[in-house]
Amino acid sequence: MPEPLQDDVAPVTVTASEVVFDGAIWNVRRDSFEYNGASITREYLDHPGAVAVLALDEHDRVLLIKQYRHPTGLRGWELPAGLLDVSGEHALIGAQRELAEEADVVASDWALLTEFYTSPGGSNEAIRVYLARGVSAVPAFARTEEEADIELRWVSLDDCVDAVLARRVENPILIVGILAAHVAKSRGWSTLAPADLPWPRHPLNRHVTA
């Protein structure tokens, strides 16, 4: 019987590490490390990590936001999400903050839906997606810049799945979150994990230096 599929943390020792581009939001880092008997150097986007929230109401509708993203030039549909850029803030608290700031709602019931790396060949950006239920409205947050014209919409989970499969939406966090929720629902939500589950694969927890 083969073992279940699971990613393994590689025992790699980083021998040198430097920031080669210090950006306004994230940096580019150059690491040298030993692997398979070779000394290798790679550059990658050094990201603080992020959280996203799939808020689901009693009618199985998902709360989506539409927002402008400059690299693609699109106003695309997304899940409420944000960077983990507040020092010492727990990922769950960050997710709760982002839901209130981007979608003007809070939730009473939180669980971990899924987590993933967005582009493991060139970035250490790790995302946690939470399922939030028991949703209620709060006063609107004063949003600025790209968030100033955020559009909110409640969409049935089934319609979200249709939009993903028809390639009408392209945000990867939305795609992963929607499909994960669809499958989790079909399994009676048995795949959910506690919202405060430790996150050992977050970039801040896994970086090893000599």
Side-chain angles (χ1 to χ4, degrees):
M1 184 73 177
E3 294 183 0
L5 288 176
Q6 180 171 313
D7 297 337
D8 296 323
V9 176
V12 172
T13 297
V14 177
T15 56
S17 183
E18 62 176 325
V19 174
V20 294
F21 175 76
D22 186 3
I25 299 178
W26 41 65
N27 302 330
V28 175
R29 180 173 291 275
R30 179 183 294 131
D31 284 356
S32 296
F33 57 95
E34 303 294 328
Y35 189 72
N36 283 340
S39 180
I40 303 171
T41 298
R42 293 289 182 267
E43 295 170 351
Y44 59 93
L45 183 70
D46 193 10
H47 196 283
V51 287
V53 184
L54 193 150
L56 197 67
D57 72 4
E58 66 275 17
H59 306 295
D60 282 343
R61 297 183 305 170
V62 180
L63 181 55
L64 303 182
I65 65 172
K66 197 173 194 180
Q67 183 176 354
Y68 175 67
R69 295 299 188 181
H70 187 69
T72 62
L74 296 176
R75 290 193 74 246
W77 289 106
E78 306 178 356
L79 299 178
L83 299 174
L84 290 173
D85 54 1
V86 176
S87 179
E89 183 179 63
H90 191 281
L92 175 59
I93 300 302
Q96 293 170 337
R97 172 176 50 80
E98 292 295 339
L99 182 62
E101 291 182 0
E102 292 197 342
D104 305 326
V105 298
V106 295
S108 60
D109 181 13
W110 290 79
L112 176 58
L113 178 62
T114 189
E115 60 188 37
F116 63 100
Y117 289 109
T118 57
S119 183
S123 171
N124 63 1
E125 180 183 12
I127 302 284
R128 266 202 161 173
V129 184
Y130 292 89
L131 178 70
R133 292 176 286 191
V135 176
S136 58
V138 293
F141 189 81
R143 292 183 279 269
T144 62
E145 300 180 336
E146 294 101 327
E147 297 180 348
D149 63 348
I150 278 180
E151 180 182 343
L152 304 177
R153 183 184 298 182
W154 287 97
V155 183
S156 75
L157 180 57
D158 287 343
D159 286 348
C160 290
V161 172
D162 289 344
V164 169
L165 297 181
R167 299 165 298 281
R168 298 196 305 269
V169 293
E170 299 181 304
N171 181 276
I173 303 173
L174 175 64
I175 292 170
V176 172
I178 290 298
L179 296 183
H182 178 68
V183 174
K185 179 187 174 186
S186 74
R187 299 183 181 188
W189 302 110
S190 62
T191 60
L192 298 178
D196 59 354
L197 189 75
W199 195 1
R201 292 181 182 175
H202 186 277
L204 296 179
N205 297 328
R206 67 158 188 81
H207 202 64
V208 179
T209 56

